[in-house]
Amino acid sequence: MARKQKDKPDIVAVAKAAGVSISTVSRSFNHPDLLKPATRKKIDRAVQKLGYIRNRAAQVMHGRRSGTIGLVVPTIDNAIFAELIQSFSDGLDQYGFTMLIASHGFDLDREYKMLRKLMEHRVDGLALIGLEHSDATHQLIEQQGVPTVAIWNYANDARLSCVGVQNSEAGRLAACHLLDLGHRDIGLVFPDLTGNDRAHDRLHGALSELRRKKIKVPEEWQLQAPYSIADSKRASLSLLGKSPRPSAILCGNDIIAQGVLYAAKHLGIAVPGELSIMGIGDFKGSGEIEPSLSTIRIPAKRIGALAAKQIADAVTGKSAGTTATNYELSVLVRDSTATPSGMAHT
């Protein structure tokens, strides 16, 4: 028979079972980094043995922190943010916080609604993807005074504290790689830019570099595809099946690049012999597919870990004010890009 509500173990029972003080048990939940690993293990064993669960709602009612951080991402439907989310969650765990996650589907109005719901759950802090958010979202964050960090994008004049990279530089570096190989007939496949400052900045960076080299990309070589391998493949078939076609395609991220790669394979176009394909992101698996994907590495694990530390420090009062951290990008040259063949694509 299940234990009655009144017989549920309390923090006193946990402290007794672990052989430590009540304050030490409390510290293990709220500031685990302050305890020795051996002490934390004793408390964890006691908690598991007794089936102890903290009453977070009561703590919040008494003005104490909930121990939760809300993360709102555009999508959890593919690998785009998987590594970042995992790193952020692992980092929060080290500081005694739990992550609550929500997705807004690249809809900034819906993002605002998600934030309201998370605040209703009394999260201690918030993390958002990118720097483009609705005025209502910025106003809500400022009105409520909830510590917030923006992840993935960097700008030294950002309205929110941010940890990320300059995505315009990612686009520029990707274009430079193809240009350095000798490509001049370059196509572009990017997602919808609405509510997506990452894609917008990458495309802007790539186009700026191409214009600097006096290269104009024909309208019919500029495609839009969702963050989907299947959709990207379908969109690319029409471009690659026509003549003339580009000698290289620069993609907004590795998911789209994989779709282009499969479209080329479907049409019997050799990569990189007849077509070079460049991605951005360096997602898991990009180095293992055949041919392996040349791309721009964004250090997702490092970004997630530092973002977790920054929001934890902001919540606990160890830091104050707006901070901005920019990580360097690197070009990973793999098998999907090469010098263009002698075939004319003009």
Side-chain angles (χ1 to χ4, degrees):
M1 183 180 294
R3 180 185 282 138
K4 293 180 181 179
Q5 180 80 20
K6 64 180 182 180
D7 295 330
K8 286 185 177 181
D10 57 15
I11 194 171
V12 177
V14 174
K16 184 176 180 181
V20 298
S21 67
I22 295 173
S23 61
T24 300
V25 176
S26 178
R27 197 176 300 119
S28 74
F29 287 115
N30 298 317
H31 303 286
D33 53 305
L34 299 180
L35 297 183
K36 294 179 180 178
T39 304
R40 287 177 60 183
K41 284 183 179 180
K42 284 198 300 182
I43 294 171
D44 289 344
R45 283 197 295 267
V47 166
Q48 183 176 351
K49 180 180 178 182
L50 296 172
Y52 171 69
I53 299 292
R54 279 193 295 174
N55 188 340
R56 282 287 195 187
Q59 288 184 321
V60 174
M61 286 176 62
H62 287 86
R64 299 172 67 182
R65 294 196 303 270
S66 68
T68 57
I69 303 295
L71 170 65
V72 185
V73 297
T75 179
I76 51 176
D77 193 36
N78 50 47
I80 295 173
F81 299 113
E83 198 171 19
L84 174 76
I85 292 170
Q86 187 64 57
S87 176
F88 184 69
S89 178
D90 290 344
L92 290 179
D93 185 58
Q94 292 180 18
Y95 298 105
F97 290 94
T98 300
M99 181 182 73
L100 299 180
I101 189 168
S103 171
H104 61 73
F106 296 94
D107 183 338
L108 296 185
D109 290 332
R110 189 169 176 222
E111 179 185 54
Y112 167 76
K113 295 176 182 177
M114 295 295 102
L115 289 179
R116 288 195 64 90
K117 289 181 180 180
L118 287 170
M119 289 182 183
E120 288 170 3
H121 284 281
R122 295 296 188 267
V123 293
D124 296 322
L126 293 165
L128 311 177
I129 299 296
L131 295 173
E132 182 182 358
H133 308 285
S134 69
D135 290 338
T137 288
H138 281 293
Q139 182 178 344
L140 180 65
I141 291 170
E142 291 165 5
Q143 287 173 334
Q144 296 298 316
V146 180
T148 304
V149 61
I151 311 176
W152 210 248
N153 272 27
Y154 163 84
N156 57 11
D157 58 350
R159 194 167 172 180
L160 299 170
S161 290
C162 60
V163 181
V165 298
Q166 287 185 310
N167 279 281
S168 57
E169 178 67 2
R172 190 191 72 80
L173 288 173
C176 281
H177 172 62
L178 295 176
L179 291 168
D180 289 345
L181 288 172
H183 292 281
R184 295 298 180 267
D185 300 325
I186 300 173
L188 302 168
V189 185
F190 276 73
D192 184 359
L193 306 185
T194 305
N196 188 340
D197 57 353
R198 286 81 59 202
H200 174 276
D201 290 352
R202 291 174 189 178
L203 181 58
H204 177 76
L207 287 172
S208 295
E209 185 63 25
L210 293 173
R211 282 194 294 266
R212 196 176 72 83
K213 295 289 188 178
K214 295 182 170 49
I215 294 172
K216 184 176 180 180
V217 182
E219 284 291 330
E220 60 271 21
W221 286 3
Q222 299 184 47
L223 300 184
Q224 187 177 105
Y227 286 114
S228 159
I229 293 176
D231 290 337
S232 173
K233 177 183 175 182
R234 280 193 292 269
S236 303
L237 286 172
S238 60
L239 170 61
L240 297 178
K242 296 176 182 177
S243 182
R245 67 168 185 262
S247 66
I249 294 183
L250 195 165
C251 303
N253 61 49
D254 286 8
I255 297 290
I256 290 174
Q258 288 183 37
V260 177
L261 184 62
Y262 294 138
K265 185 175 182 180
H266 179 80
L267 294 171
I269 300 171
V271 177
E274 298 175 86
L275 176 72
S276 285
I277 300 173
M278 183 71 183
I280 297 176
D282 190 31
F283 301 152
K284 280 188 176 180
S286 292
E288 281 69 49
I289 59 175
E290 295 291 342
S292 56
L293 189 63
S294 293
T295 187
I296 304 298
R297 172 173 285 170
I298 298 175
K301 286 185 178 179
R302 294 171 64 193
I303 290 172
L306 182 59
K309 181 181 187 304
Q310 283 199 1
I311 195 65
D313 286 350
V315 170
T316 57
K318 292 181 181 179
S319 67
T322 303
T323 60
T325 303
N326 182 30
Y327 278 101
E328 287 189 10
L329 299 154
S330 53
V331 181
L332 296 184
V333 180
R334 295 188 177 126
D335 296 335
S336 68
T337 54
T339 302
S341 66
M343 185 185 302
H345 299 287
T346 58

PDB file of all heavy atoms in Angstrom, residues 81-112:
ATOM      1  N   PHE A  81      19.676  22.142 -32.276  1.00  0.00           N
ATOM      2  CA  PHE A  81      20.025  22.641 -30.951  1.00  0.00           C
ATOM      3  C   PHE A  81      20.296  21.521 -29.940  1.00  0.00           C
ATOM      4  O   PHE A  81      20.456  21.788 -28.753  1.00  0.00           O
ATOM      5  CB  PHE A  81      18.912  23.545 -30.424  1.00  0.00           C
ATOM      6  CG  PHE A  81      18.668  24.766 -31.276  1.00  0.00           C
ATOM      7  CD1 PHE A  81      17.489  24.904 -31.977  1.00  0.00           C
ATOM      8  CD2 PHE A  81      19.627  25.761 -31.378  1.00  0.00           C
ATOM      9  CE1 PHE A  81      17.260  26.020 -32.775  1.00  0.00           C
ATOM     10  CE2 PHE A  81      19.416  26.877 -32.179  1.00  0.00           C
ATOM     11  CZ  PHE A  81      18.226  27.012 -32.873  1.00  0.00           C
ATOM     12  N   ALA A  82      20.331  20.269 -30.411  1.00  0.00           N
ATOM     13  CA  ALA A  82      20.446  19.137 -29.491  1.00  0.00           C
ATOM     14  C   ALA A  82      21.688  19.217 -28.603  1.00  0.00           C
ATOM     15  O   ALA A  82      21.613  19.058 -27.376  1.00  0.00           O
ATOM     16  CB  ALA A  82      20.444  17.825 -30.278  1.00  0.00           C
ATOM     17  N   GLU A  83      22.842  19.457 -29.216  1.00  0.00           N
ATOM     18  CA  GLU A  83      24.094  19.501 -28.460  1.00  0.00           C
ATOM     19  C   GLU A  83      24.101  20.672 -27.487  1.00  0.00           C
ATOM     20  O   GLU A  83      24.551  20.552 -26.350  1.00  0.00           O
ATOM     21  CB  GLU A  83      25.272  19.607 -29.430  1.00  0.00           C
ATOM     22  CG  GLU A  83      26.604  19.239 -28.813  1.00  0.00           C
ATOM     23  CD  GLU A  83      27.715  19.146 -29.853  1.00  0.00           C
ATOM     24  OE1 GLU A  83      27.558  19.707 -30.958  1.00  0.00           O
ATOM     25  OE2 GLU A  83      28.744  18.523 -29.555  1.00  0.00           O
ATOM     26  N   LEU A  84      23.573  21.804 -27.927  1.00  0.00           N
ATOM     27  CA  LEU A  84      23.491  22.987 -27.078  1.00  0.00           C
ATOM     28  C   LEU A  84      22.591  22.731 -25.874  1.00  0.00           C
ATOM     29  O   LEU A  84      22.956  23.033 -24.736  1.00  0.00           O
ATOM     30  CB  LEU A  84      22.959  24.162 -27.884  1.00  0.00           C
ATOM     31  CG  LEU A  84      22.676  25.437 -27.103  1.00  0.00           C
ATOM     32  CD1 LEU A  84      23.969  26.155 -26.772  1.00  0.00           C
ATOM     33  CD2 LEU A  84      21.737  26.354 -27.864  1.00  0.00           C
ATOM     34  N   ILE A  85      21.411  22.157 -26.112  1.00  0.00           N
ATOM     35  CA  ILE A  85      20.454  21.888 -25.039  1.00  0.00           C
ATOM     36  C   ILE A  85      21.054  20.939 -24.012  1.00  0.00           C
ATOM     37  O   ILE A  85      20.930  21.147 -22.802  1.00  0.00           O
ATOM     38  CB  ILE A  85      19.150  21.309 -25.614  1.00  0.00           C
ATOM     39  CG1 ILE A  85      18.415  22.373 -26.443  1.00  0.00           C
ATOM     40  CG2 ILE A  85      18.242  20.799 -24.501  1.00  0.00           C
ATOM     41  CD1 ILE A  85      17.240  21.832 -27.238  1.00  0.00           C
ATOM     42  N   GLN A  86      21.722  19.890 -24.484  1.00  0.00           N
ATOM     43  CA  GLN A  86      22.327  18.923 -23.573  1.00  0.00           C
ATOM     44  C   GLN A  86      23.411  19.563 -22.720  1.00  0.00           C
ATOM     45  O   GLN A  86      23.471  19.347 -21.497  1.00  0.00           O
ATOM     46  CB  GLN A  86      22.910  17.749 -24.359  1.00  0.00           C
ATOM     47  CG  GLN A  86      23.401  16.605 -23.477  1.00  0.00           C
ATOM     48  CD  GLN A  86      22.273  15.960 -22.692  1.00  0.00           C
ATOM     49  OE1 GLN A  86      21.301  15.489 -23.262  1.00  0.00           O
ATOM     50  NE2 GLN A  86      22.383  15.949 -21.371  1.00  0.00           N
ATOM     51  N   SER A  87      24.255  20.356 -23.342  1.00  0.00           N
ATOM     52  CA  SER A  87      25.334  21.021 -22.610  1.00  0.00           C
ATOM     53  C   SER A  87      24.781  22.013 -21.590  1.00  0.00           C
ATOM     54  O   SER A  87      25.261  22.106 -20.458  1.00  0.00           O
ATOM     55  CB  SER A  87      26.255  21.741 -23.595  1.00  0.00           C
ATOM     56  OG  SER A  87      27.264  22.466 -22.920  1.00  0.00           O
ATOM     57  N   PHE A  88      23.752  22.756 -21.989  1.00  0.00           N
ATOM     58  CA  PHE A  88      23.120  23.725 -21.086  1.00  0.00           C
ATOM     59  C   PHE A  88      22.486  23.015 -19.894  1.00  0.00           C
ATOM     60  O   PHE A  88      22.653  23.425 -18.743  1.00  0.00           O
ATOM     61  CB  PHE A  88      22.067  24.517 -21.862  1.00  0.00           C
ATOM     62  CG  PHE A  88      21.414  25.618 -21.079  1.00  0.00           C
ATOM     63  CD1 PHE A  88      22.134  26.750 -20.706  1.00  0.00           C
ATOM     64  CD2 PHE A  88      20.077  25.532 -20.732  1.00  0.00           C
ATOM     65  CE1 PHE A  88      21.522  27.772 -19.989  1.00  0.00           C
ATOM     66  CE2 PHE A  88      19.463  26.545 -20.020  1.00  0.00           C
ATOM     67  CZ  PHE A  88      20.188  27.674 -19.643  1.00  0.00           C
ATOM     68  N   SER A  89      21.792  21.915 -20.156  1.00  0.00           N
ATOM     69  CA  SER A  89      21.156  21.141 -19.088  1.00  0.00           C
ATOM     70  C   SER A  89      22.186  20.558 -18.123  1.00  0.00           C
ATOM     71  O   SER A  89      22.028  20.620 -16.899  1.00  0.00           O
ATOM     72  CB  SER A  89      20.319  20.012 -19.694  1.00  0.00           C
ATOM     73  OG  SER A  89      19.723  19.216 -18.692  1.00  0.00           O
ATOM     74  N   ASP A  90      23.266  20.003 -18.682  1.00  0.00           N
ATOM     75  CA  ASP A  90      24.328  19.441 -17.835  1.00  0.00           C
ATOM     76  C   ASP A  90      24.954  20.527 -16.965  1.00  0.00           C
ATOM     77  O   ASP A  90      25.256  20.302 -15.781  1.00  0.00           O
ATOM     78  CB  ASP A  90      25.413  18.791 -18.700  1.00  0.00           C
ATOM     79  CG  ASP A  90      24.930  17.518 -19.385  1.00  0.00           C
ATOM     80  OD1 ASP A  90      23.886  16.979 -18.978  1.00  0.00           O
ATOM     81  OD2 ASP A  90      25.595  17.078 -20.341  1.00  0.00           O
ATOM     82  N   GLY A  91      25.160  21.706 -17.563  1.00  0.00           N
ATOM     83  CA  GLY A  91      25.747  22.811 -16.802  1.00  0.00           C
ATOM     84  C   GLY A  91      24.843  23.263 -15.676  1.00  0.00           C
ATOM     85  O   GLY A  91      25.309  23.496 -14.548  1.00  0.00           O
ATOM     86  N   LEU A  92      23.555  23.375 -15.942  1.00  0.00           N
ATOM     87  CA  LEU A  92      22.616  23.786 -14.898  1.00  0.00           C
ATOM     88  C   LEU A  92      22.609  22.795 -13.742  1.00  0.00           C
ATOM     89  O   LEU A  92      22.531  23.177 -12.566  1.00  0.00           O
ATOM     90  CB  LEU A  92      21.205  23.911 -15.473  1.00  0.00           C
ATOM     91  CG  LEU A  92      20.935  25.074 -16.428  1.00  0.00           C
ATOM     92  CD1 LEU A  92      19.494  25.014 -16.920  1.00  0.00           C
ATOM     93  CD2 LEU A  92      21.208  26.415 -15.757  1.00  0.00           C
ATOM     94  N   ASP A  93      22.681  21.516 -14.094  1.00  0.00           N
ATOM     95  CA  ASP A  93      22.673  20.477 -13.068  1.00  0.00           C
ATOM     96  C   ASP A  93      23.844  20.641 -12.102  1.00  0.00           C
ATOM     97  O   ASP A  93      23.707  20.413 -10.884  1.00  0.00           O
ATOM     98  CB  ASP A  93      22.718  19.103 -13.731  1.00  0.00           C
ATOM     99  CG  ASP A  93      22.601  17.971 -12.716  1.00  0.00           C
ATOM    100  OD1 ASP A  93      21.598  17.939 -11.984  1.00  0.00           O
ATOM    101  OD2 ASP A  93      23.520  17.128 -12.658  1.00  0.00           O
ATOM    102  N   GLN A  94      24.981  21.047 -12.612  1.00  0.00           N
ATOM    103  CA  GLN A  94      26.158  21.254 -11.751  1.00  0.00           C
ATOM    104  C   GLN A  94      25.929  22.367 -10.731  1.00  0.00           C
ATOM    105  O   GLN A  94      26.537  22.361  -9.658  1.00  0.00           O
ATOM    106  CB  GLN A  94      27.380  21.597 -12.605  1.00  0.00           C
ATOM    107  CG  GLN A  94      27.876  20.463 -13.474  1.00  0.00           C
ATOM    108  CD  GLN A  94      29.093  20.873 -14.289  1.00  0.00           C
ATOM    109  OE1 GLN A  94      29.751  21.856 -13.973  1.00  0.00           O
ATOM    110  NE2 GLN A  94      29.384  20.121 -15.332  1.00  0.00           N
ATOM    111  N   TYR A  95      25.069  23.312 -11.078  1.00  0.00           N
ATOM    112  CA  TYR A  95      24.802  24.440 -10.178  1.00  0.00           C
ATOM    113  C   TYR A  95      23.496  24.267  -9.403  1.00  0.00           C
ATOM    114  O   TYR A  95      23.023  25.198  -8.750  1.00  0.00           O
ATOM    115  CB  TYR A  95      24.755  25.748 -10.982  1.00  0.00           C
ATOM    116  CG  TYR A  95      26.069  26.057 -11.663  1.00  0.00           C
ATOM    117  CD1 TYR A  95      26.215  25.866 -13.039  1.00  0.00           C
ATOM    118  CD2 TYR A  95      27.166  26.508 -10.940  1.00  0.00           C
ATOM    119  CE1 TYR A  95      27.425  26.129 -13.669  1.00  0.00           C
ATOM    120  CE2 TYR A  95      28.381  26.764 -11.568  1.00  0.00           C
ATOM    121  CZ  TYR A  95      28.490  26.570 -12.930  1.00  0.00           C
ATOM    122  OH  TYR A  95      29.698  26.824 -13.564  1.00  0.00           O
ATOM    123  N   GLY A  96      22.910  23.064  -9.476  1.00  0.00           N
ATOM    124  CA  GLY A  96      21.726  22.772  -8.682  1.00  0.00           C
ATOM    125  C   GLY A  96      20.422  23.234  -9.283  1.00  0.00           C
ATOM    126  O   GLY A  96      19.410  23.324  -8.586  1.00  0.00           O
ATOM    127  N   PHE A  97      20.402  23.509 -10.591  1.00  0.00           N
ATOM    128  CA  PHE A  97      19.179  23.953 -11.254  1.00  0.00           C
ATOM    129  C   PHE A  97      18.664  22.881 -12.210  1.00  0.00           C
ATOM    130  O   PHE A  97      19.433  22.077 -12.739  1.00  0.00           O
ATOM    131  CB  PHE A  97      19.426  25.247 -12.043  1.00  0.00           C
ATOM    132  CG  PHE A  97      19.657  26.453 -11.185  1.00  0.00           C
ATOM    133  CD1 PHE A  97      20.960  26.842 -10.842  1.00  0.00           C
ATOM    134  CD2 PHE A  97      18.595  27.200 -10.709  1.00  0.00           C
ATOM    135  CE1 PHE A  97      21.185  27.958 -10.053  1.00  0.00           C
ATOM    136  CE2 PHE A  97      18.810  28.309  -9.919  1.00  0.00           C
ATOM    137  CZ  PHE A  97      20.097  28.697  -9.582  1.00  0.00           C
ATOM    138  N   THR A  98      17.362  22.907 -12.441  1.00  0.00           N
ATOM    139  CA  THR A  98      16.710  22.009 -13.384  1.00  0.00           C
ATOM    140  C   THR A  98      16.180  22.821 -14.558  1.00  0.00           C
ATOM    141  O   THR A  98      15.689  23.933 -14.365  1.00  0.00           O
ATOM    142  CB  THR A  98      15.539  21.264 -12.718  1.00  0.00           C
ATOM    143  OG1 THR A  98      16.040  20.497 -11.618  1.00  0.00           O
ATOM    144  CG2 THR A  98      14.846  20.327 -13.711  1.00  0.00           C
ATOM    145  N   MET A  99      16.280  22.269 -15.749  1.00  0.00           N
ATOM    146  CA  MET A  99      15.837  22.967 -16.957  1.00  0.00           C
ATOM    147  C   MET A  99      14.400  22.597 -17.308  1.00  0.00           C
ATOM    148  O   MET A  99      14.031  21.428 -17.328  1.00  0.00           O
ATOM    149  CB  MET A  99      16.757  22.621 -18.128  1.00  0.00           C
ATOM    150  CG  MET A  99      16.403  23.306 -19.438  1.00  0.00           C
ATOM    151  SD  MET A  99      17.504  22.783 -20.779  1.00  0.00           S
ATOM    152  CE  MET A  99      16.910  21.103 -21.076  1.00  0.00           C
ATOM    153  N   LEU A 100      13.594  23.613 -17.579  1.00  0.00           N
ATOM    154  CA  LEU A 100      12.274  23.429 -18.171  1.00  0.00           C
ATOM    155  C   LEU A 100      12.357  23.945 -19.603  1.00  0.00           C
ATOM    156  O   LEU A 100      12.799  25.073 -19.821  1.00  0.00           O
ATOM    157  CB  LEU A 100      11.209  24.208 -17.400  1.00  0.00           C
ATOM    158  CG  LEU A 100      11.003  23.847 -15.925  1.00  0.00           C
ATOM    159  CD1 LEU A 100       9.903  24.710 -15.323  1.00  0.00           C
ATOM    160  CD2 LEU A 100      10.663  22.370 -15.764  1.00  0.00           C
ATOM    161  N   ILE A 101      11.921  23.151 -20.577  1.00  0.00           N
ATOM    162  CA  ILE A 101      12.111  23.538 -21.976  1.00  0.00           C
ATOM    163  C   ILE A 101      10.766  23.690 -22.697  1.00  0.00           C
ATOM    164  O   ILE A 101       9.814  22.954 -22.423  1.00  0.00           O
ATOM    165  CB  ILE A 101      13.003  22.506 -22.710  1.00  0.00           C
ATOM    166  CG1 ILE A 101      13.376  23.013 -24.106  1.00  0.00           C
ATOM    167  CG2 ILE A 101      12.341  21.143 -22.778  1.00  0.00           C
ATOM    168  CD1 ILE A 101      14.468  22.204 -24.779  1.00  0.00           C
ATOM    169  N   ALA A 102      10.709  24.673 -23.568  1.00  0.00           N
ATOM    170  CA  ALA A 102       9.519  24.909 -24.398  1.00  0.00           C
ATOM    171  C   ALA A 102       9.979  25.273 -25.796  1.00  0.00           C
ATOM    172  O   ALA A 102      11.093  25.763 -25.995  1.00  0.00           O
ATOM    173  CB  ALA A 102       8.663  26.028 -23.803  1.00  0.00           C
ATOM    174  N   SER A 103       9.122  25.053 -26.792  1.00  0.00           N
ATOM    175  CA  SER A 103       9.456  25.336 -28.188  1.00  0.00           C
ATOM    176  C   SER A 103       8.397  26.248 -28.786  1.00  0.00           C
ATOM    177  O   SER A 103       7.199  26.068 -28.546  1.00  0.00           O
ATOM    178  CB  SER A 103       9.530  24.029 -28.981  1.00  0.00           C
ATOM    179  OG  SER A 103       9.640  24.279 -30.364  1.00  0.00           O
ATOM    180  N   HIS A 104       8.841  27.239 -29.582  1.00  0.00           N
ATOM    181  CA  HIS A 104       7.882  28.183 -30.148  1.00  0.00           C
ATOM    182  C   HIS A 104       7.706  28.061 -31.669  1.00  0.00           C
ATOM    183  O   HIS A 104       6.927  28.796 -32.276  1.00  0.00           O
ATOM    184  CB  HIS A 104       8.253  29.625 -29.792  1.00  0.00           C
ATOM    185  CG  HIS A 104       9.601  30.081 -30.293  1.00  0.00           C
ATOM    186  ND1 HIS A 104       9.843  30.343 -31.608  1.00  0.00           N
ATOM    187  CD2 HIS A 104      10.759  30.341 -29.628  1.00  0.00           C
ATOM    188  CE1 HIS A 104      11.108  30.767 -31.744  1.00  0.00           C
ATOM    189  NE2 HIS A 104      11.684  30.755 -30.566  1.00  0.00           N
ATOM    190  N   GLY A 105       8.426  27.129 -32.305  1.00  0.00           N
ATOM    191  CA  GLY A 105       8.213  26.887 -33.727  1.00  0.00           C
ATOM    192  C   GLY A 105       8.537  28.072 -34.618  1.00  0.00           C
ATOM    193  O   GLY A 105       7.860  28.302 -35.627  1.00  0.00           O
ATOM    194  N   PHE A 106       9.557  28.842 -34.274  1.00  0.00           N
ATOM    195  CA  PHE A 106       9.991  30.022 -35.035  1.00  0.00           C
ATOM    196  C   PHE A 106       8.893  31.091 -35.107  1.00  0.00           C
ATOM    197  O   PHE A 106       8.818  31.853 -36.060  1.00  0.00           O
ATOM    198  CB  PHE A 106      10.444  29.625 -36.450  1.00  0.00           C
ATOM    199  CG  PHE A 106      11.656  28.740 -36.459  1.00  0.00           C
ATOM    200  CD1 PHE A 106      11.520  27.363 -36.505  1.00  0.00           C
ATOM    201  CD2 PHE A 106      12.934  29.280 -36.397  1.00  0.00           C
ATOM    202  CE1 PHE A 106      12.632  26.529 -36.497  1.00  0.00           C
ATOM    203  CE2 PHE A 106      14.048  28.455 -36.390  1.00  0.00           C
ATOM    204  CZ  PHE A 106      13.898  27.086 -36.437  1.00  0.00           C
ATOM    205  N   ASP A 107       8.055  31.138 -34.084  1.00  0.00           N
ATOM    206  CA  ASP A 107       6.975  32.123 -33.988  1.00  0.00           C
ATOM    207  C   ASP A 107       7.246  32.989 -32.761  1.00  0.00           C
ATOM    208  O   ASP A 107       7.065  32.535 -31.621  1.00  0.00           O
ATOM    209  CB  ASP A 107       5.627  31.402 -33.863  1.00  0.00           C
ATOM    210  CG  ASP A 107       4.440  32.361 -33.836  1.00  0.00           C
ATOM    211  OD1 ASP A 107       4.632  33.550 -33.496  1.00  0.00           O
ATOM    212  OD2 ASP A 107       3.315  31.922 -34.136  1.00  0.00           O
ATOM    213  N   LEU A 108       7.680  34.224 -32.976  1.00  0.00           N
ATOM    214  CA  LEU A 108       8.075  35.083 -31.859  1.00  0.00           C
ATOM    215  C   LEU A 108       6.893  35.500 -30.995  1.00  0.00           C
ATOM    216  O   LEU A 108       7.068  35.802 -29.806  1.00  0.00           O
ATOM    217  CB  LEU A 108       8.823  36.316 -32.380  1.00  0.00           C
ATOM    218  CG  LEU A 108      10.153  36.019 -33.084  1.00  0.00           C
ATOM    219  CD1 LEU A 108      10.865  37.316 -33.452  1.00  0.00           C
ATOM    220  CD2 LEU A 108      11.059  35.140 -32.224  1.00  0.00           C
ATOM    221  N   ASP A 109       5.699  35.544 -31.550  1.00  0.00           N
ATOM    222  CA  ASP A 109       4.522  35.811 -30.722  1.00  0.00           C
ATOM    223  C   ASP A 109       4.251  34.633 -29.792  1.00  0.00           C
ATOM    224  O   ASP A 109       3.871  34.810 -28.629  1.00  0.00           O
ATOM    225  CB  ASP A 109       3.293  36.069 -31.601  1.00  0.00           C
ATOM    226  CG  ASP A 109       3.387  37.397 -32.344  1.00  0.00           C
ATOM    227  OD1 ASP A 109       4.059  38.318 -31.828  1.00  0.00           O
ATOM    228  OD2 ASP A 109       2.804  37.509 -33.445  1.00  0.00           O
ATOM    229  N   ARG A 110       4.462  33.438 -30.301  1.00  0.00           N
ATOM    230  CA  ARG A 110       4.277  32.246 -29.466  1.00  0.00           C
ATOM    231  C   ARG A 110       5.384  32.172 -28.411  1.00  0.00           C
ATOM    232  O   ARG A 110       5.158  31.697 -27.296  1.00  0.00           O
ATOM    233  CB  ARG A 110       4.296  30.994 -30.341  1.00  0.00           C
ATOM    234  CG  ARG A 110       3.884  29.744 -29.581  1.00  0.00           C
ATOM    235  CD  ARG A 110       3.656  28.575 -30.503  1.00  0.00           C
ATOM    236  NE  ARG A 110       3.347  27.394 -29.714  1.00  0.00           N
ATOM    237  CZ  ARG A 110       3.836  26.186 -29.955  1.00  0.00           C
ATOM    238  NH1 ARG A 110       4.640  26.003 -30.978  1.00  0.00           N
ATOM    239  NH2 ARG A 110       3.504  25.163 -29.207  1.00  0.00           N
ATOM    240  N   GLU A 111       6.572  32.623 -28.761  1.00  0.00           N
ATOM    241  CA  GLU A 111       7.663  32.654 -27.786  1.00  0.00           C
ATOM    242  C   GLU A 111       7.255  33.473 -26.565  1.00  0.00           C
ATOM    243  O   GLU A 111       7.504  33.079 -25.418  1.00  0.00           O
ATOM    244  CB  GLU A 111       8.927  33.251 -28.419  1.00  0.00           C
ATOM    245  CG  GLU A 111      10.102  33.336 -27.451  1.00  0.00           C
ATOM    246  CD  GLU A 111      11.303  34.044 -28.058  1.00  0.00           C
ATOM    247  OE1 GLU A 111      11.126  35.193 -28.547  1.00  0.00           O
ATOM    248  OE2 GLU A 111      12.397  33.475 -28.038  1.00  0.00           O
ATOM    249  N   TYR A 112       6.612  34.613 -26.818  1.00  0.00           N
ATOM    250  CA  TYR A 112       6.146  35.467 -25.715  1.00  0.00           C
ATOM    251  C   TYR A 112       5.190  34.695 -24.803  1.00  0.00           C
ATOM    252  O   TYR A 112       5.291  34.762 -23.573  1.00  0.00           O
ATOM    253  CB  TYR A 112       5.460  36.708 -26.288  1.00  0.00           C
ATOM    254  CG  TYR A 112       4.668  37.505 -25.280  1.00  0.00           C
ATOM    255  CD1 TYR A 112       5.311  38.332 -24.359  1.00  0.00           C
ATOM    256  CD2 TYR A 112       3.276  37.431 -25.250  1.00  0.00           C
ATOM    257  CE1 TYR A 112       4.587  39.056 -23.426  1.00  0.00           C
ATOM    258  CE2 TYR A 112       2.549  38.157 -24.324  1.00  0.00           C
ATOM    259  CZ  TYR A 112       3.199  38.968 -23.418  1.00  0.00           C
ATOM    260  OH  TYR A 112       2.490  39.678 -22.493  1.00  0.00           O
TER     261      TYR A 112
END
